[in-house]
Amino acid sequence: MENGSGSGLPDAWVNGELRSLDTARPETTALDWLRGLGLTGAKEGCAEGECGACSVLVARPGVDAETEWTAINSCLLPAATLAGQDVVTAEGLGAPDALHPVQREMAVRGGSQCGYCTPGFVCSMAAEYYRPGRRAGEFDRHALSGNLCRCTGYRPIVEAAAALGTPDGDDALATRTAVAPPAAAPVRTAGFARPGNLAEALDLLAEPGAVAVAGSTDLGVEANLRGDRPALRVAIDRLPELREVSRTGTYVELGAAVTLSELERRLAGAVPLLDEVFPQFASRLIRNGATIGGNLGTASPIGDLAPALLALQADVVLASAAGERVVPLKGYFTGYRQTGRAADELIRAVRIPLPLAQLTAFHKIAKRRFDDISSVAVAFALDVADGRVRRAVIGLGGVAATPIRATEAERLLTRNRWEADVVAEAAAVLGRAGTPLDDHRASAGYRAAMLEQSLVRLYEGFEARPQAASHLNRREEP
Amino acid sequence: MSTPLARRPTSAEVGEIRPHEAASLHVTGRALYTDDVAVRTPGLLHAHPVQAPHAHARVVRPDATRAAETPGVVRVLSAVDVPGVNDAGTKHDEPLFPDEVMYHGHAVAWVLGETLEAARLGALAVEVDYEPLPAILTLPEAIAAESFQGLRPRLERGDVEEAMAGAAHVFSGEFEMAGQEHFYLETHAALATVDDDGQVFVQSSTQHPTETQEIVAHVLGLSSHQVTVQCLRMGGGFGGKEMQPHGYAAIAALGARLTGRPVRVRLTRQQDMTMTGKRHGFHATWRVGFDGDGRLQALEATLTSDGGWSLDLSEPVLSRALCHVDNAYWIPHLRVDGRIAQTHKTSQTAFRGFGGPQGMLVIEDILGRCAPLLGIDPVDLRRRNLYADGQETPYGQVVRHADRLERAWDQVVDTAELATRRDEVAGFNAQNPRRKRGLVVTPVKFGISFNFTAFNQAGALVHVYRDGSVLINHGGTEMGQGLHTKMLQVAATALRVPIDRVRLAPTRTDKVPNTSATAASSGADLNGGAVKDAGEQILARLEPVRERLGPNASWDEVVRTAYFDRIQLWAAGFYRTEGLWWDTAAMRGEPFKYFAYGVAAAEVEVDGYTGAYEVRRVDIVHDVGDSLSPLIDIGQIEGGFLQGVGWLTLEDLRWDTSDGPGRGRLATQAASTYKLPSLSEMPHEMRVTLLDRATEDGVVYGSKAVGEPPLMLAFSVREAIREAIAAFAPAGARRSVDLASPATPEAVFWAIRAAATEGGSER
């Protein structure tokens, strides 16, 4: 087997130097490529984006600045996607005799013990350090939610993060954020293609064995853990047609290739239900790569967006060479990891109809609060007025082969009294929804009990404090 | 001029707050681990295992024909290739290439490839015929089938029957606790090269380089002097790299011998989780007697550990479990039997605490369940049963410094404002039907030393160069616990030089031979003793020179002069722990140099809707003697504590126990299904204090070991959860709460259901 006789990929910038991607084969991860360059700070801890030991920084288009240094799991990303891009690793942030502020705080406070997770923590922390608009002493813990440490118990790491000031005026990485990130230039090699527009993407995806890849947060796991080797990876993460977030009088449209981290900030609270989902969806590291289209495209029965989008009664916009069609998400999932999307179609966007329901909530049941996979996920979208339920839509994940709607409980609630006895009855019905399984995450009995509890919890929480409605329901433009 | 081991000079380097000696390398990604070296090695071959898809099967015919034809495959390794002994363990019950598959995922062959991808595809192409055999998976199955292995120790004192007969209250029960995956962030790794003379050099992520060296030598049919093992550092060990690395090092070494090329073994996380040993799960049945005041009178118990397929360290783990079933409590009459189940699972092994946590969990669970039945507050019940100074453990060792246990307890009660906060908890619980809090105090008493007496020795090699700089080698390995940092501090103290004059070289078997595992929390005690010894030998030789040159002579001057005086400027240091003895058959003796003590108070809040919980605040007072390095010690306490919380609450190993084709498969074999604590499990508030006035006589500079004991402080969280669950019961119920281990949110939810509907169980 040849060791890569020239991949034909353009070079990438790593720590300020141009480095060749010639050795990158289609299955080579960004992590293995970086390590092959002798940059062994990034480590493989799990190969599935759970531990963050492989975290590195990539210059990505920003929401609040031209460029944002975005921490990603390099174990999941194909190396080829870095062609022409700008990457910084722990080695590039500082050296032992010239530590970066993040590195200095971590070192002096005992933030490292065995040191193996440390370069990844440093990169995730640095991404937060450089976040546009962040003030000194301010630190969003979610920035570290995708990094695991087995040694320290985390306190010194959190204290290091909390002690950080803001970058100096001459900090090269800080000033870099004012300049646009590298463009995503079209590329075509044997196993990888980056099309320039949607039409080219659809052409490429028609080739045998072609798969669309955005953040590669699912495909990367399949490749690493199950040896999945698609013939052609088509990178769609930077296609302008898939990157819009817009609204009309009747719906909000979310581009399929907008990452969840971007979406969280670009929506800026416009869809309260999604705001509840985002912090519970995997980890920041994953959300920096994962897209809304990807989460629906894999059609996992335990993906956390689908139940919420079902509750929001969203539609999926499918694009093909023949044009576009809009299909309701309800009915889109046809079987375990099966959907109504035809082979020549790509999810271009998701539409959420307006007005939004007033009472929404997302309940995720998992073993761990950060970065876990749901045993059960329940999304509610209700309108309650004058003691009656005007509308009730409930999306469920983890209780069937596909994400489903809790139609019977919805029917029982709709136009009924919003009172404890009705809620208890509907909760019992909700508890019988789907066909939950016994597995290593939870028993079927617990899953059913959690469905039931979720409605009780919603009702009792609502009684305690009614929620504010989204500004999108007001008439003026946001 | 050897000084008493515990005496600490004034203004000593030991006791200073020092970050980890490699911290600046860690944070910049410069610190090298075994596989980072492999990536830099030209001509490297990659090894990939062929893992069996059965829990128990006969291997009929491994056929490597197709594998050998796979592009990039260089060689397939199997039993016929072994020049020496086909075994990866010290007990010769672990064939490196088995003809009988003993657990799901057992490696039956290894493939060497030019790339890892080639080796992986080659492994898929190895054709193996298996004859499946019946498999025993769970502890109840093993007990029913009487599938046991190894020793069956009994620990006994007094007259249990008579004491039970005279007890005011007798309760009995059964309890099963899960094991734990180490999940060191760095999976097992080895890199082997062979030099012109056929000498084998293995870099291994190992806590026990000497044993890795011995196993590699016996597999290759070589003597130990032909094999050198080096461990740069480990990305975590926790006991998981005490016995388990040897086989992987042997595969790399065998491949290197056969091909003449460097060979790398690095397990993926899935391979590591499916192939390497874990903390033993235990099953316990017990009967306990209390007097009218809730004082323990008698305990009778049978502990069965799940050893997996081979013995590994299961015997000493069980022995330590039995020796810790008392935890910190005086139990006058006691009889505990121990057994090791043989099951078709990975061979379970050392894990921080080494059976101690499992033994202690038995008594803590008993006290937690019995307190409500006795009508005694769980905090009071524990406090009144603590050892008093001079009382003996069931195996006959006097509990020295038991007063420290009380002192730590009272300090926690005071600084945690226990009385006030327990009132607040009661107030909160009265106000909130759906959320409940609990606040409980638990103690730790943990014996320090290897139960296996011979391991309580260590060596060091200290060089002073002519320019006055110092290089130290010692037999201990660095896995993040800060041992090297402490050894630099010990060397600087012993030689009376500033710490920046001292460097430390990686652990290698050709520098310091015949080392013990860096385990049993003993690394600093043992190697510190050896480093101090070497330093003091050199200092003694320098003394005449120093006297001649006068008090104003600098260290550099003294050293330079000594060289010209032809004085030996390097020394081999040695240390052995005095006064230890242990009778394995009688389960009696003085196995421990001393006990480490700690006390924790934990407050939790439990969500009644889901059973999810959070740790609101933890107060810990822990006894590390006179700390060698306070930042390091506090890091060990906090990290050990959270690892214990993970074991007791979150980490949930599940095997396929169905009768389907997947029987025996580890269902939680990845980070996405096996959850260790993340940032979100951190206590909101964590206050750790080192016990003062705690000089430990007879230990290096008055310090105490710290690696393992803090893990067991996490019992406080489990017991606080139990108390919060009880608060869901109707008022006035005598609420004994049975709680599974791990107490996952689901387990807690069902316990809440039981408490709320039945008011708990009464026995």
Side-chain angles (χ1 to χ4, degrees), chain A residues 35 38 40 43 45 48 50 94 103 112-115 150-151 154-155 229 368-369 371-372 443 446 460, chain B residues 26-27 30 33 36 40 117 181-182 269 434 609-610 635 638-639 651 670-672 675-677 680 746:
Chain A
R35 290 178 59 79
T40 49
K43 314 285 190 208
E48 52 174 352
E50 284 275 342
Q103 294 170 326
S112 71
Q113 285 185 23
C114 85
R150 191 53 150 165
C151 295
Y154 299 101
R155 185 204 47 84
R229 298 285 182 266
R368 191 166 71 194
R369 271 192 295 284
D371 195 12
D372 201 353
S443 69
Y446 183 64
E460 292 180 356
Chain B
H26 293 158
V27 297
R30 260 73 162 188
Y33 302 78
D36 298 338
R40 292 170 162 77
E117 182 78 348
E181 161 63 33
H182 301 86
R269 179 61 60 185
R434 296 294 195 173
Y609 293 112
T610 62
E638 291 180 333
E651 299 179 37
S672 54
K675 293 288 165 178
L676 43 146
S680 54
E746 173 169 356

Side-chain angles (χ1 to χ4, degrees), chain A residues 365-446:
Chain A
I365 306 299
K367 277 183 195 152
R368 191 166 71 194
R369 271 192 295 284
F370 284 179
D371 195 12
D372 201 353
I373 294 168
S374 292
S375 302
V376 175
V378 188
F380 295 101
L382 279 71
D383 280 320
V384 179
D386 309 322
R388 293 195 94 79
V389 178
R390 307 290 163 181
R391 166 164 71 154
V393 190
I394 305 172
L396 306 178
V399 295
T402 67
I404 58 168
R405 285 264 299 270
T407 43
E408 283 181 51
E410 290 175 4
R411 201 173 307 129
L412 208 155
L413 285 168
T414 307
R415 286 186 289 282
N416 211 331
R417 288 175 294 110
W418 181 237
E419 284 168 24
D421 60 327
V422 179
V423 167
E425 192 186 342
V429 169
L430 183 56
R432 293 193 290 273
T435 49
L437 299 175
D438 275 315
D439 68 11
H440 51 264
R441 287 198 182 90
S443 69
Y446 183 64

Side-chain angles (χ1 to χ4, degrees), chain B residues 208-283:
Chain B
H208 200 348
T210 287
E211 203 167 82
T212 302
Q213 173 194 26
E214 283 174 2
I215 300 291
V216 167
H218 89 215
V219 167
L220 297 183
L222 301 174
S223 299
S224 286
H225 70 184
Q226 292 165 289
V227 177
T228 299
V229 172
Q230 169 171 296
C231 178
L232 285 176
R233 58 169 58 79
M234 283 167 274
F238 314 117
K241 293 172 180 171
E242 184 172 351
M243 288 287 274
Q244 305 281 307
H246 314 329
Y248 306 111
I251 293 291
L254 179 62
R257 281 280 285 198
L258 293 176
T259 63
R261 291 173 61 179
V263 173
R264 160 205 189 207
V265 172
R266 181 209 162 254
L267 301 187
T268 65
R269 179 61 60 185
Q270 272 183 308
Q271 288 162 356
D272 195 293
M273 291 190 74
T274 54
M275 291 162 71
T276 71
K278 310 174 188 329
R279 185 188 295 285
H280 293 71
F282 269 61
H283 174 274

Side-chain angles (χ1 to χ4, degrees), chain A residues 292-384:
Chain A
I292 188 167
N295 198 238
L296 294 179
T298 66
S300 163
I302 47 176
D304 283 336
L305 270 181
L309 292 171
L310 279 170
L312 293 167
Q313 295 179 286
D315 294 320
V316 182
V317 182
L318 296 169
S320 68
E324 286 193 352
R325 63 186 182 119
V326 179
V327 299
L329 188 62
K330 189 187 183 194
Y332 178 73
F333 301 109
T334 53
Y336 179 70
R337 289 192 174 251
Q338 301 289 311
T339 70
R341 181 174 62 86
D344 64 340
E345 288 180 314
L346 186 65
I347 301 174
R348 186 185 65 71
V350 172
R351 284 181 189 164
I352 297 169
L354 298 175
L356 299 170
Q358 291 157 336
L359 170 57
T360 58
F362 181 73
H363 294 173
K364 173 170 178 164
I365 306 299
K367 277 183 195 152
R368 191 166 71 194
R369 271 192 295 284
F370 284 179
D371 195 12
D372 201 353
I373 294 168
S374 292
S375 302
V376 175
V378 188
F380 295 101
L382 279 71
D383 280 320
V384 179

